[in-house]
Amino acid sequence: MQKATEKQTVIVDGSRLVTEAMARAGADAFIGYPITPANLLYQYSGRRMPLFLPAPDEITALQWMSGLAATGKIPVTATSFPGFALMIESINMAYMMELPMVIVLVQRLGPATGTATCGAQGDLGLLRGMISGGYQLPVLCGDGFEGSWRLSSLAVQIAARLRTPVVYLTSKEEMMTRKSFNLALLDDISAAEVPMYTGKDPYRSYDKAGKGVPPFLPVGNNRWQVRLNASTHDRDGILQHSTREALDNTMRLQDKAPGHIDQFTRYEYDREEGASTLVISYGITAGAAREAVYNIRESGKKVSLLVPGTILPVPPGYYDITDRYERVVVAEENTVGQLAGILFGGRLPGKVHTVGAAGRMIVSDEIKREVLI
Amino acid sequence: MNTILKKAVLPYCKGCGHDLVARNTAAALEQMGTDPLDVIVVTDIGCHGIIDGCLNTHTVHGLHGRSVAIGAGMAMGLDGQAKKIIVFIGDGGSTIGLQHILEAARLNLDMTVVVHNNMLYGMTGGQTSGLTPCGFRTTTSSEGNPWTGYDLCALAHTSGAALTSRVTGMGQISGQLREAFETPGFSLVEVIEICPSYGVRLNPGKKLRQIIEESGRLPGRWVNNREPFLIKQGEKTGNLLEELEAIKVDHKSPPGKPVSIVVSGSAGEGIQLAAGIMATAAVRSGCHVTQKGSYPVTVGVGFSTAEVIISPRPVIFHGIDIPDVVVVTSGDGLAHCKRRIKAMKRGTVFADTSLELPETGAAVVRQDFRSAGIRSACLFALFRMSADTGIISLGTLHRTVLESRLSPKVPVDKIMEMVKG
């Protein structure tokens, strides 16, 4: 077998690319618990990540990751809904402690254990509301191999830069489907940097920094005392009831991801002059949307396309785009319109229409029909 | 004021054993001459957890019952560094986080867990925990707990803890704590206390020593002579992409337009492997390909289906609704793609002769594909498809098989003869 160089055509699956991308971006530990359809990420990480540890359950996985992050690692895990559900309290903890890490959520058909080997896009609503208080951690989603490469590496970089857990959202078909691919299409990836504390005064773990991200010091360092706290705490990291300083710290967390959204806003906007309809789709369904848009244009009709890569928090720029259209069609692989609901609210405006499916991939003709109706 | 404790007055109720544990922990560390910044004290939810602000060490205050697990992560992250990870946890936390204790003991991670066992949930109103002794009264068992509590020391010891000890939370316990702190690997010290707010009030006249004797959980010390946890990693690669096979284009003979092929058979019959070889052959022919797998959760039972698109241009979307070609070699495979075969208005179905196909608008080609052996039936059918449709050349497919790891396992020459014959 001739080994592939970075400019050759190979057949590859998305899990391999995402694992490699995250490693290049600086992820240096993978803590895993096996679950379909995230198993390939687990398998590849064993060989690629400098530190690989099998946890006995998903709660432990997130706790081990938090411990590793507290010592200065940038850990990653990969799971699907049943495992993610177990992780949620600990993700809240890591969010509150401000520990960098990436959770790759490979969506599969639910509810509950659903169908492990069937893809879906049904977990976005959960991600929107998973942090108590309604706060938001960054959720990124690539589509296609190049997009997966870029967005999964960005997930690691943002986790480090903002000291926060980040969810890289994907689905079974994106992680397990094999495709021919020219490796020359992959961008270079720079390694993530956690902002470190270099001051001469005693370190305060949650002291308000210039842009709201406190610089980091690992526990166990011999310069300054470090305090991490999952409960409401002051700038020193000491538990408080609801003092002004402690609540200010919590409010800072509320603003952290939205306040840095410019650093991780990624989307593709394929605008067609004169189009009055916009198709919005992400992740696995974005391919069907692209095909639908191509076919619609081939038939002489005008249509534009928005593929969000940054899913949450919703970048304000998305509304500048959607406001320009008389009709918006949101396509996603669930039947309740989760992305549509997040973008436009529980009572969808009359101009917003959805295309959904459960237990199968949405095909381009379904989107085309809704656009041309 | 000493080096470990920041405050002289600790935030506990009068008579609480937690105060004793904190002071003796500090005393033990000071006897050892430990720098506070070489110590990480991990606490969680429960009265014990409010000690953080009184310490000059690093402090981490986590979730209820998870302090052992986050401490375990730190032990892994600080592997090889001379740091003391000391986890404070209550009996309630030990109940909800029991698995974390057993796992850390099993791995023999370099850390010490100090269990503040006051036999009930003190912070939330005095409810019964998993460590409450039988007969002990709590706010939720006014007649006395009807069940026996866990023997936490026995569980930790049998899981592999290097040192486990149970002590009565009275007097000086710094010696037992120091021994634990100085033990390489996992150590657990269970300190039996009585909560002055609930335990004393609900169990009038009962002394701590009497409760301990009646519970049968007597003070003791248990040792496993084990090496502490060492991180062991398998062989690593610095680049996962270099492991891939570079596929060179032999010749350019792509189909004029994208062709969608559903290959369906039984799990364990090499369906995905055969489809993968076809995909490789297609790339060698200058095509773009996608291969989506579909199968039930069981690995070796039921259907196995590969959905392959072979295209002259990059494939934007790899989903297949109604395929151009179906290759089906078993009853499992047919059951999974029957709807699609029925919906086909054109194209071709290549089916094993044993299968009863539904009505279809597609042309049907039948052959006894399973005669090549159940693990070769799919490959045989793909050779047939290749010969009949020309979607990829038979020669390229043949060469690809010969160069694959499947080659010694399948009767390639016999299949070629049957296809040509």
Side-chain angles (χ1 to χ4, degrees):
Chain A
M1 182 186 99
Q2 186 194 348
K3 279 188 174 182
T5 69
E6 305 257 322
K7 290 185 179 176
Q8 288 179 307
T9 297
V10 297
I11 294 178
V12 63
D13 56 66
S15 296
R16 184 182 288 268
L17 288 174
V18 164
T19 307
E20 180 64 27
M22 291 193 298
R24 291 190 191 187
D28 51 8
F30 185 97
I31 310 297
Y33 186 85
I35 187 167
T36 305
N39 294 329
L40 285 174
L41 289 144
Y42 186 98
Q43 181 186 323
Y44 294 139
S45 293
R47 294 206 309 281
R48 182 63 177 93
M49 293 296 177
L51 179 61
F52 171 85
L53 294 160
D57 60 79
E58 286 93 344
I59 296 175
T60 306
L62 246 290
Q63 290 289 330
W64 285 6
M65 288 168 71
S66 300
L68 286 161
T71 66
K73 306 273 188 199
I74 304 178
V76 169
T77 191
T79 189
S80 195
F81 169 77
F84 190 82
L86 291 175
M87 293 175 177
I88 287 176
E89 189 194 18
S90 299
I91 296 173
N92 272 256
M93 181 194 78
Y95 176 82
M96 193 68 157
M97 287 184 172
E98 301 187 59
L99 297 172
M101 62 181 65
V102 176
I103 302 101
V104 181
L105 174 53
V106 188
Q107 295 171 100
R108 70 188 214 187
L109 184 64
T113 44
T115 303
T117 52
C118 184
Q121 290 179 298
D123 297 338
L124 192 50
L126 172 69
L127 297 176
R128 176 62 190 88
M130 64 171 279
I131 302 293
S132 179
Y135 310 133
Q136 190 62 67
L137 49 74
V139 176
L140 305 177
C141 176
D143 82 287
F145 282 171
E146 293 161 76
S148 299
W149 177 264
R150 279 197 288 267
L151 272 293
S152 60
S153 56
L154 180 63
V156 176
Q157 291 158 346
I158 290 301
R161 207 179 300 158
L162 301 189
R163 279 189 63 180
T164 182
V166 173
V167 173
Y168 180 71
L169 184 64
T170 180
S171 69
K172 180 251 174 183
E173 302 306 347
E174 287 181 293
M175 289 298 96
M176 296 188 71
T177 297
R178 302 169 74 240
K179 299 180 191 176
S180 57
F181 185 69
N182 188 340
L183 297 174
L185 296 172
L186 298 176
D187 298 334
D188 289 339
I189 292 173
S190 57
E193 286 180 16
V194 178
M196 301 299 286
Y197 180 72
T198 55
K200 291 178 180 170
D201 297 324
Y203 177 64
R204 302 179 77 189
S205 299
Y206 300 106
D207 203 12
K208 203 171 183 177
K211 290 188 176 179
V213 181
F216 180 79
L217 273 182
V219 293
N221 84 85
N222 284 99
R223 285 184 60 221
W224 303 116
Q225 181 186 32
V226 173
R227 296 184 184 277
L228 299 173
N229 204 320
S231 297
T232 303
H233 53 265
D234 60 17
R235 289 187 195 179
D236 289 319
I238 295 175
L239 188 146
Q240 302 290 331
H241 182 264
S242 53
T243 60
R244 186 70 262 161
E245 183 179 325
L247 289 177
D248 282 350
N249 183 68
T250 303
M251 293 304 105
R252 179 180 57 76
L253 284 177
Q254 176 184 331
D255 295 338
K256 192 156 78 166
H260 294 82
I261 191 76
D262 289 349
Q263 292 187 20
F264 60 95
T265 295
R266 301 287 186 279
Y267 63 90
E268 178 194 330
Y269 177 36
D270 179 5
R271 175 172 174 268
E272 182 165 38
E273 191 67 41
S276 59
T277 299
L278 173 73
V279 174
I280 302 177
S281 193
Y282 78 103
I284 188 64
T285 310
R290 282 200 177 86
E291 193 171 271
V293 165
Y294 175 83
N295 291 336
I296 291 165
R297 289 173 179 170
E298 286 288 293
S299 69
K301 303 282 192 325
K302 293 180 184 300
V303 65
S304 295
L305 174 68
L306 173 65
V307 179
T310 304
I311 310 294
L312 293 169
V314 176
Y318 291 177
Y319 295 111
D320 297 337
I321 295 171
T322 59
D323 286 350
R324 296 174 198 159
Y325 293 88
E326 294 168 14
R327 185 176 166 80
V328 176
V329 174
V330 184
E332 51 186 309
E333 202 177 312
N334 63 73
T335 52
V336 299
Q338 295 184 18
L339 177 61
I342 286 169
L343 290 174
F344 300 105
R347 187 177 183 187
L348 295 181
K351 75 172 189 177
V352 177
H353 304 267
T354 60
V355 178
R360 63 174 178 81
M361 294 166 78
I362 293 171
V363 295
S364 62
D365 278 351
E366 295 172 277
I367 301 170
K368 183 180 171 185
R369 274 197 299 273
E370 189 58 46
V371 170
L372 298 180
I373 204 164
Chain B
M1 191 173 295
N2 57 44
T3 59
I4 299 295
L5 284 178
K6 188 176 176 183
K7 297 177 179 176
V9 179
L10 302 183
Y12 296 118
C13 302
K14 190 178 176 188
C16 179
H18 296 359
D19 188 283
L20 178 98
V21 175
R23 292 184 193 283
N24 279 270
T25 296
L29 291 168
E30 284 155 16
Q31 288 161 22
M32 293 160 58
T34 310
D35 181 341
L37 294 186
D38 282 334
V39 180
I40 303 152
V41 175
V42 188
T43 61
D44 60 28
I45 303 303
C47 295
H48 72 274
I50 54 177
I51 193 68
D52 304 40
C54 304
L55 298 171
N56 282 318
T57 65
H58 299 286
T59 63
V60 178
H61 183 77
L63 301 181
H64 183 51
R66 313 297 173 202
S67 49
V68 178
I70 191 172
M74 292 174 205
M76 294 163 177
L78 295 169
D79 188 50
Q81 298 182 39
K83 305 293 176 185
K84 295 286 167 206
I85 297 169
I86 300 172
V87 174
F88 281 5
I89 192 168
D91 49 305
S94 298
T95 305
I96 193 173
L98 184 59
Q99 163 70 16
H100 305 311
I101 295 173
L102 305 186
E103 183 70 5
R106 181 177 77 90
L107 298 177
N108 206 21
L109 288 161
D110 195 11
M111 60 196 291
T112 300
V113 175
V114 182
V115 180
H116 299 55
N117 181 8
N118 61 7
M119 301 179 280
L120 47 72
Y121 292 84
M123 185 175 262
T124 51
Q127 299 89 344
T128 304
S129 81
L131 271 64
T132 304
C134 185
F136 190 75
R137 289 179 182 171
T138 69
T139 54
T140 53
S141 58
S142 56
E143 300 301 313
N145 181 26
W147 302 293
T148 303
Y150 286 115
D151 185 341
L152 191 59
C153 288
L155 290 169
H157 175 65
T158 54
S159 296
L163 172 69
T164 309
S165 61
R166 182 182 291 121
V167 301
T168 304
M170 298 169 68
Q172 284 293 323
I173 60 169
S174 61
Q176 291 98 322
L177 289 168
R178 179 175 178 172
E179 185 190 21
F181 299 155
E182 288 180 331
T183 298
F186 184 85
S187 54
L188 181 144
V189 182
E190 181 185 4
V191 183
I192 312 290
E193 313 168 9
I194 187 161
C195 172
S197 296
Y198 295 104
V200 172
R201 180 166 60 82
L202 296 171
N203 298 271
K206 288 222 169 185
K207 301 293 180 194
L208 183 57
R209 290 192 200 285
Q210 181 192 354
I211 295 167
I212 291 172
E213 278 176 23
E214 287 174 4
S215 75
R217 304 281 187 255
L218 302 178
R221 179 179 170 279
W222 300 269
V223 173
N224 286 305
N225 289 312
R226 294 178 66 198
E227 288 296 312
F229 177 79
L230 274 178
I231 289 178
K232 292 175 184 169
Q233 297 286 287
E235 193 178 335
K236 302 285 182 183
T237 174
N239 186 348
L240 283 168
L241 305 183
E242 282 184 351
E243 296 179 347
L244 296 165
E245 179 185 3
I247 306 173
K248 285 195 172 169
V249 176
D250 292 334
H251 62 285
K252 293 218 170 187
S253 60
K257 59 175 189 167
V259 180
S260 55
I261 305 165
V262 170
V263 185
S264 200
S266 294
E269 295 188 357
I271 306 299
Q272 304 301 329
L273 202 54
I277 285 172
M278 176 174 70
T280 301
V283 176
R284 292 176 71 163
S285 308
C287 304
H288 298 268
V289 296
T290 63
Q291 182 192 345
K292 168 182 178 289
S294 188
Y295 21 75
V297 288
T298 46
V299 174
V301 182
F303 70 91
S304 177
T305 297
E307 300 184 8
V308 179
I309 296 175
I310 298 177
S311 170
R313 55 179 181 268
V315 182
I316 302 174
F317 176 64
H318 66 263
I320 297 175
D321 188 12
I322 310 301
D324 300 310
V325 176
V326 168
V327 174
V328 56
T329 56
S330 77
D332 291 328
L334 177 61
H336 188 63
C337 65
K338 198 175 258 180
R339 180 193 65 81
R340 283 168 154 168
I341 293 174
K342 212 170 171 178
M344 289 171 74
K345 293 189 169 59
R346 55 183 176 74
T348 310
V349 176
F350 294 86
D352 188 81
T353 46
S354 63
L355 302 174
E356 194 172 325
L357 298 181
E359 289 273 325
T360 178
V364 174
V365 176
R366 286 183 174 279
Q367 193 156 352
D368 185 5
F369 296 125
R370 297 184 77 81
S371 66
I374 59 168
R375 290 183 190 279
S376 304
C378 182
L379 203 62
F380 182 9
L382 291 178
F383 272 58
R384 174 85 275 155
M385 181 208 75
S386 177
D388 289 8
T389 65
I391 295 168
I392 48 173
S393 85
L394 188 59
T396 305
L397 188 58
H398 187 199
R399 279 197 301 280
T400 307
V401 174
L402 290 177
E403 292 168 15
S404 77
R405 63 190 169 94
L406 200 61
S407 177
K409 299 174 189 169
V410 292
V412 190
D413 294 338
K414 184 183 161 192
I415 288 173
M416 280 296 279
E417 278 173 29
M418 288 193 286
V419 168
K420 286 178 177 170

